[in-house]
């Protein structure tokens, strides 16, 4: 469960979770096996600070998605200021063995004609950048190598650490990151066992394209643990019935 100690209020109107960017909404999808979950969650909760947690219930899994403003705390002496930055943390808790799970984050299929989109990843980072004459937008998350490393932080199942060798052998790997048409990314996960959980971050940062400090790229290099810690630190503690 994401952020169990942070106060929340259930929202009656449940819309599709999304982040508004200069190039359209960044939306999110989950598929378990061959079955996509509804774009609209079963439950939606509002958290302090313009944050939300969406929740889906599937017979074999619970899925949550936190959307939050994010301050990457860029050093102003090195990086130019961002126009804005928002992040998501996607979490799945497996109730049964799941052979195949896919999580996607994507912009509209049709971008403005003057916008260029392309791969912008690096070591341990899966990222795309979309840019026109005014704005540069970078969307990033973990690549396959970083997913394996995340096992040591408890963000993914511990046994995934042993998959690091398969990251470099595409001929036998059945999981990984797909960049499609560079309007977003899709993560296909290794199998999950009952009781496993996985947390993946997605960060969208944008700034004027005239800024050449690579600030948007650096802003999206973050772990879900850091994102959750920032939200927890900014929120008052959640109170439960029977507590002071």
């Amino acid at each position: 469960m994401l952020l169990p100690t942070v106060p929340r209020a259930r929202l009656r109107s449940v819309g599709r979770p999304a982040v508004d960017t200069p190039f359209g909404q960044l939306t999110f999808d989950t598929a378990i096996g061959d079955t996509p979950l509804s774009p609209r969650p079963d439950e939606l909760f509002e958290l302090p600070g313009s944050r939300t947690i969406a929740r889906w219930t599937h017979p074999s899994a619970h899925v949550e998605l936190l959307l939050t403003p994010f301050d990457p705390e860029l050093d102003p002496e090195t990086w130019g200021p961002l126009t804005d930055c928002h992040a998501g943390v996607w979490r799945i808790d497996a109730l049964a063995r799941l052979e195949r799970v896919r999580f996607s984050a994507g912009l509209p299929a049709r971008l403005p004609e003057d916008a260029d989109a392309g791969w912008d990843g690096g070591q341990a980072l899966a990222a795309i950048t979309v840019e026109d004459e005014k704005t540069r937008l970078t969307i990033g998350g973990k690549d396959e190598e970083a997913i394996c490393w995340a096992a040591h932080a408890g963000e993914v199942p511990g046994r995934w650490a042993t998959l690091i060798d398969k990251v470099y052998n595409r001929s036998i790997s059945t999981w990984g990151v797909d960049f499609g048409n560079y309007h977003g990314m899709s993560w296909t996960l290794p199998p999950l066992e009952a009781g496993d959980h996985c947390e993946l971050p997605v960060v969208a940062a944008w700034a004027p394209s005239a800024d050449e400090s690579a600030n948007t790229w650096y802003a999206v290099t973050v772990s879900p643990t850091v994102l959750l810690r920032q939200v927890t630190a900014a929120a008052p503690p959640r109170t439960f019935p029977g507590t002071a």
Side-chain angles (χ1 to χ4, degrees):
M1 180 179 181
L2 290 173
L3 301 172
T5 64
V6 175
R8 65 198 61 202
R10 189 191 305 268
L11 297 175
R12 293 186 177 182
S13 178
V14 179
R16 182 175 190 176
V19 172
D20 291 324
T21 83
F23 296 101
Q25 285 194 326
L26 180 68
T27 56
F28 307 89
D29 294 286
T30 300
I32 297 177
D34 295 326
T35 304
L37 301 187
S38 169
R40 293 176 179 265
D42 299 313
E43 297 176 290
L44 185 64
F45 300 89
E46 183 178 30
L47 280 62
S50 301
R51 300 174 173 94
T52 59
I53 286 182
R55 183 178 295 161
W56 291 261
T57 300
H58 181 276
S60 299
H62 293 156
V63 176
E64 292 180 299
L65 175 66
L66 164 73
L67 295 183
T68 176
F70 174 52
D71 179 6
E73 300 179 350
L74 300 180
D75 182 350
E77 295 185 2
T78 304
W79 312 104
L82 298 172
T83 303
D84 210 346
C85 186
H86 289 260
V89 176
W90 175 88
R91 175 173 173 130
I92 184 167
D93 287 272
L95 305 178
R97 178 174 172 81
L98 303 176
E99 290 287 347
R100 187 172 184 270
V101 174
R102 186 178 68 255
F103 169 59
S104 303
L107 296 168
R110 180 172 294 180
L111 297 175
E113 292 184 0
D114 61 343
D116 293 322
W119 179 83
D120 199 16
Q123 186 176 15
L125 177 68
I128 63 162
T129 290
V130 182
E131 188 169 5
D132 62 15
E133 292 183 353
K134 296 182 178 180
T135 302
R136 180 177 64 255
L137 165 70
T138 302
I139 300 169
K142 291 185 179 296
D143 70 0
E144 295 90 344
E145 190 175 14
I147 289 173
C148 293
W149 289 346
H152 301 294
E155 297 166 351
V156 305
R159 66 182 177 280
W160 288 8
T162 65
L163 301 177
I164 190 70
D165 292 338
K166 294 185 179 180
V167 168
Y168 306 107
N169 189 343
R170 301 294 182 182
S171 64
I172 64 173
S173 180
T174 58
W175 64 279
V177 186
D178 181 8
F179 293 90
N181 56 6
Y182 303 111
H183 292 192
M185 289 168 285
S186 179
W187 290 263
T188 299
L189 302 181
L192 291 154
E193 301 290 346
D196 284 346
H197 78 271
C198 172
E199 294 175 351
L200 294 177
V202 180
V203 182
W206 57 97
S209 54
D211 188 321
E212 299 181 355
S213 68
N215 51 354
T216 60
W217 189 91
Y218 189 80
V220 303
T221 59
V222 65
S223 75
T225 299
V226 170
L227 289 169
L228 295 174
R229 186 182 300 130
Q230 188 176 104
V231 175
T232 301
R238 187 179 182 182
T239 58
F240 296 89
T243 61

